[in-house]
Amino acid sequence: KAKQAIDRLQKEAFATIRSQSPVMRGINDDAEVWAEKWRKEVNMGIIPYYMFMARDTGAQAFFDVPMAKAHQIYSDALRNCSGLIRTVRGPSMSCTPGKVEITGVEDIMGQKAFILRFLQCRDEGWIGRPFFAKYDPNAVWFDDLEPLDGMQLPWNEDGLPRQVPKTIY
């Protein structure tokens, strides 16, 4: 019945359907689960949109997945899918300063670091601009992050965006 409802929405209402889901410990914290989900969605004409982190609510402690693990799940799932599925973004956090995407883990000048960027931000100057945080295998939310030595995170102690540095180009 769900497939019939989706078909009807797409054909009769000309609706574009996008999907987003949280990554949840013990439920879908597996790359193959995500890859299969995205493949089925694309086969039904649904556009994969976001994989997001469990919000910092009371239930988060029961379902949270560390950022590093979520990024690994996302990357592994994406590598096993066609280009049609690569519309999906993630893992992302809708938090106080904006929507933050974890784009990778790399060594930055001898320090293991998360590479992140804002997909949306209260200050649009931050959108798309990469920033870095110390790698923490246990971090589950933006306020668990610490700046790399000699840098600062793009938000202040209240979680609000700092002034955007001048662009280099």
Side-chain angles (χ1 to χ4, degrees):
K1 293 197 182 223
K3 175 72 172 125
Q4 291 171 340
I6 290 166
D7 284 343
R8 189 168 175 209
L9 279 170
Q10 291 168 331
K11 289 180 179 139
E12 294 177 23
F14 304 101
T16 298
I17 303 171
R18 296 181 187 272
S19 70
Q20 59 180 4
S21 301
V23 58
M24 308 289 276
R25 179 173 19 106
I27 298 171
N28 64 1
D29 56 342
D30 177 89
E32 188 49 41
V33 169
W34 281 90
E36 184 61 25
K37 172 189 172 307
W38 292 332
R39 284 186 209 109
K40 283 181 181 179
E41 289 169 348
V42 166
N43 285 336
M44 292 191 300
I46 298 171
I47 302 166
Y49 194 42
Y50 282 114
M51 169 198 273
F52 59 92
M53 305 295 293
R55 290 182 185 258
D56 61 339
T57 64
Q60 184 189 42
F62 297 103
F63 301 107
D64 61 2
V65 173
M67 288 184 227
K69 182 176 181 184
H71 183 266
Q72 188 67 54
I73 292 166
Y74 171 83
S75 297
D76 290 347
L78 206 57
R79 277 191 284 278
N80 290 306
C81 293
S82 76
L84 294 174
I85 292 165
R86 296 188 180 173
T87 55
V88 69
R89 295 179 177 181
S92 67
M93 296 173 278
S94 293
C95 48
T96 304
K99 187 172 289 200
V100 176
E101 180 181 36
I102 304 150
T103 64
V105 176
E106 293 292 335
D107 183 75
I108 306 293
M109 299 177 66
Q111 297 178 75
K112 194 169 184 178
F114 286 116
I115 301 170
L116 307 110
R117 71 179 179 139
F118 281 105
L119 298 171
Q120 297 174 22
C121 187
R122 291 172 183 254
D123 183 336
E124 67 182 29
W126 279 109
I127 296 173
R129 187 181 184 125
F131 62 94
F132 310 97
K134 286 182 182 176
Y135 177 81
D136 177 350
N138 300 311
V140 296
W141 198 243
F142 89 105
D143 57 6
D144 294 330
L145 299 173
E146 294 183 25
L148 283 181
D149 296 339
M151 296 183 172
Q152 62 181 3
L153 293 171
W155 52 78
N156 64 24
E157 57 279 349
D158 296 322
L160 299 173
R162 297 182 192 278
Q163 185 175 355
V164 179
K166 291 182 180 180
T167 59
I168 56 173
Y169 54 89

